[in-house]
Amino acid sequence: MSQGLQAVFLENRESLLRFLRARGAVDADDLVQEIWLRASSQASSPIANPRSYLFRVAHNMMIDIHRASSQRTQREKAWTEANSDVASGISDEPSAERSLVAREMLEQVQNALDEMGEPTATIFRRFRIDGIAQKIIAGDLAVSLATVEKHLQKAYRMVAAIKKEFDTE
């Protein structure tokens, strides 16, 4: 029985390839091999029309591929929607207005830091921008950790005041 199905399979291999390609199969050669594996493993009794049987297996395989693709697309879309803070079709990039406001705020903070003088400006920049630990900054500047914390608090109050000013505008 398997030898008869194999002979029909080999005889119709090119037709199966065309059948699969006509239905959009990109990897038709691999799918033809998969058809043989499915058909030969499922056929336990004589098949009345082996050619129809092989094409039915090919058709069912294409349906399975289409369903899997649709499910994958739906799953990816659901995941994206669940893990995205923005609505579909809306850019994550800030608007031109928000960018302009942020640049203005940054400029004001930089100017205010410069006006605060040393060591507040240096301590704030090293801690917040460079990511250096407060303890290391204290050691480098030969001051206590409490002094570093006081200068940071002073800088944070200034930043909060500027932010509050921008929020009320």
Side-chain angles (χ1 to χ4, degrees):
M1 189 273 317
S2 177
Q3 291 175 342
L5 183 60
Q6 184 177 12
V8 173
F9 171 77
L10 292 173
E11 185 178 302
N12 289 284
R13 189 175 190 293
E14 290 302 316
S15 297
L16 286 167
L17 282 168
R18 283 191 304 274
F19 177 85
L20 293 170
R21 287 183 184 130
R23 282 149 185 80
V26 177
D27 51 352
D29 289 319
D30 292 340
L31 293 178
V32 167
Q33 294 305 315
E34 181 69 24
I35 290 169
W36 171 248
L37 292 174
R38 285 189 187 186
S40 63
S41 67
Q42 293 173 356
S44 58
S45 60
I47 299 168
N49 190 340
R51 185 176 192 279
S52 292
Y53 177 72
L54 290 171
F55 279 90
R56 173 55 63 191
V57 170
H59 176 75
N60 290 343
M61 186 180 299
M62 291 305 296
I63 290 172
D64 291 346
I65 290 169
H66 176 70
R67 283 182 184 153
S69 176
S70 295
Q71 290 172 350
R72 181 176 47 253
T73 301
Q74 289 173 353
R75 202 172 40 249
E76 288 172 357
K77 181 180 177 190
W79 186 90
T80 300
E81 288 173 359
N83 293 297
S84 178
D85 292 337
V86 294
S88 294
I90 299 175
S91 173
D92 288 339
E93 295 296 317
S95 68
E97 179 183 3
R98 287 181 64 102
S99 295
L100 181 63
V101 169
R103 276 193 293 268
E104 288 178 20
M105 188 184 304
L106 176 61
E107 187 175 325
Q108 280 193 19
V109 168
Q110 287 175 335
N111 291 338
L113 270 175
D114 291 340
E115 289 174 13
M116 292 181 124
E118 295 300 327
T120 304
T122 299
I123 290 171
F124 181 81
R125 287 183 176 118
R126 288 187 73 194
F127 180 68
R128 295 301 299 180
I129 296 171
D130 300 335
I132 298 172
Q134 292 179 22
K135 188 174 183 179
I136 294 172
I137 295 170
D140 290 349
L141 298 178
V143 296
S144 70
L145 185 58
T147 301
V148 170
E149 290 171 349
K150 275 199 266 181
H151 285 288
L152 285 173
Q153 288 172 359
K154 183 178 171 184
Y156 288 144
R157 282 192 297 274
M158 176 270 304
V159 170
I162 291 173
K163 185 175 182 329
K164 185 175 181 181
E165 183 182 312
F166 272 86
D167 288 344
T168 58
E169 290 180 357

